[in-house]
Amino acid sequence: MVDFYLQLHPVVQGLLKGLAVILVIFPLGGLCSMAERKVSAWIQGRQGPNRAIVPWAAWIPVIGPFLQRIGLFHVMADGGKMLFKEDALPGHVNKFYFVLAPIVAMIPALTTVTTVPFGAYLDPSGQVIPIGLANVDIGLLAVFAVSSLGVYSLILAGWASNSKYPFLGGVRASAQLISYELSMALSVIPVFLWINEPGSEGTMSLSRTVAFQSQPGFWGGTWFIFLMPVSAFIFLIALFAETNRQPFDMPESESDLVGGFHTEYGAFKWGLFFVAEYAHMIIGSAVFTLLFLGGWNPLPWVSLADLMNWAHHAIGSPLVIHPLVVGLISIGIFLGKVILGIFFFMWVRWTVPRFRYDQVMELGWKKLLPLAIANLLAYAIGIAIIQK
Amino acid sequence: MGPFLFNLFAVFSVVCAAGVVLNKNAVNAALCLLLSLVGVAGLFVSLEAYLLAFLLLLVYAGAIVALFLFIVMLLDTKGDARPTLHKLPLLARVMAFALVGAGVGSFVVRGQLESPDLSRTPALGASLKLYAYQLFTTYLLPVQILGFLLLVAMLGVIVLSKKFDGLDDIK
């Protein structure tokens, strides 16, 4: 099986790998909508969706009722509804851009995955090799560049809908996303100043960030969230604004814009916007995990290699450090952190009320941007003194 | 594969650039500009200048064209309400023709640039460190001048927008 895979043309191999990752991200987006309902229910002291069940699942003794209680079948019913509902095209819209917008929403959301490493394995010499679709030198820059194209879906949807509320949503989206991109980019520069120590080859690779957080010793093993808390804080706030999550969901803003940019959308086109939003959240919390939460390292000051070597000594079987086992464990740790990040997104959404638009702009330009610049200057001076 | 992709992206970006000029609808024109920039980024990738490609996408495609669209939507320009070409002053016409002439002339005379030192070219495009080094040594003056120009432009915008402070309807 492995030999057959290695015989294939590199392009086919790349396509298969990309497809495998998309097959994880896309259902994860759907599952996020289930989690969103359950988390909101939990926070508001409700049960949440817990009724729908299909007969064959009800026959399974313990698992069936459990799946019913966590609302899994509601997700399937929702997906089925979105697929089979009439996909109405309003008469007053610009049809080309109206259809294009949900597609444009999905493409950047799924393309950014290519440069995000999501796990690692140990090669025979004990080196940690990252797993990802493309381990490029300019990793983070590529993520920023491609994900910044996602704003066009909101702008196009708002403009093509040719009615007031979507238009306002689109205009809000374009201004908001540009405003917060600056703070976001500035907040991560200290991280890359720190990992590009003198004498090393310059890089913006995300896997190198993780490698830097898994060194031995107290300072080597410290996750960057402890080393650069202000950077992490600014990045997190900008991430909320960039993914249009509450308290920053100005483009959507149900209470004053009906449904914002997607007011005129229904059925699967609407669904695509939502899967794209959740995909952006997944990528966003993956990048946050890589930059500030130690990537696939299980705990601060305990790296993946430490854990696997310890397990190898404790169990004694060479199977433990087999690349497949280590890879699965590291992907599991990484996904666990990403899911915690998504939970945090939801927690904030159901806790904090929405900002007004002028508050969003003031926070972005008058508070976050100066703070990000001051943070960058302070760390630039500090790093220059320490790494001299 | 390489030359084919290069030609494909070159034709694509030129066609889209023509679309920017020829489109009556301002939103269509802005989106053509976006596609043209993506084509140029593709050209950079096929020349192994990955950093430039992604910076172009990040800065121009991701932010500046989005800003253009924002302005276009706010002003709500109608394609047919624009002033027609024959109202252009004579000076502007002469300048435009002179610029086009100079561009075509330089293309005809110096269409083939001297090939740079190939051993350094890929390193410049791919390595962040060499790129930054060049930016802060060889090209420091142009960078500073451009930065100064942008600062002047920003000050100009601030001065222009300050003018509306006395009015009640614009805040």
Side-chain angles (χ1 to χ4, degrees), chain A residues 94-125:
Chain A
N94 182 329
K95 292 195 176 49
F96 177 68
Y97 289 130
F98 190 79
V99 177
L100 190 70
I103 303 171
V104 173
M106 280 313 292
I107 293 173
L110 295 180
T111 310
T112 40
V113 192
T114 45
T115 51
V116 178
F118 43 79
Y121 64 91
L122 306 174
D123 74 349
S125 65

Side-chain angles (χ1 to χ4, degrees), chain A residues 97 137-138 141-142 144-146 148-149 151-152 155-156 159 167 170-171 174-175 178 181 199-204, chain B residues 25 27-28 31 34 38 50-51 54-55 57-58 60-67 69-70 73-74 126-130:
Chain A
Y97 289 130
D137 209 25
I138 45 172
L141 210 55
F144 278 174
V146 178
S148 70
L149 297 180
V151 63
Y152 288 104
I155 300 178
L156 283 182
W159 182 76
F167 178 74
V171 170
S174 53
I178 293 168
E181 226 164 59
S200 71
E201 195 54 46
T203 180
M204 293 203 55
Chain B
N25 185 329
V27 172
N28 283 341
L31 287 169
L34 174 66
V38 171
Y50 303 111
L51 183 69
F54 282 109
L55 282 181
L57 276 186
L58 181 64
Y60 286 91
I64 303 230
V65 178
L67 212 60
L69 273 175
F70 176 69
M73 286 176 179
L74 269 190
S127 155
L128 275 171
K129 197 175 177 180
L130 268 174

Side-chain angles (χ1 to χ4, degrees), chain A residues 196-202 208 387, chain B residues 129:
Chain A
N196 286 308
E197 50 189 350
S200 71
E201 195 54 46
R208 178 147 173 82
Q387 289 188 340
Chain B
K129 197 175 177 180

Side-chain angles (χ1 to χ4, degrees), chain A residues 24-36:
Chain A
V24 173
I25 298 278
F26 209 92
L28 214 56
L31 282 180
C32 277
S33 75
M34 176 182 98
E36 181 101 63

Side-chain angles (χ1 to χ4, degrees), chain A residues 201, chain B residues 49 51-53 55 123-139:
Chain A
E201 195 54 46
Chain B
L51 183 69
L52 266 184
L55 282 181
L124 249 180
S127 155
L128 275 171
K129 197 175 177 180
L130 268 174
Y131 192 86
Y133 187 75
Q134 293 281 328
L135 214 57
F136 279 96
T137 52
T138 316
Y139 300 106

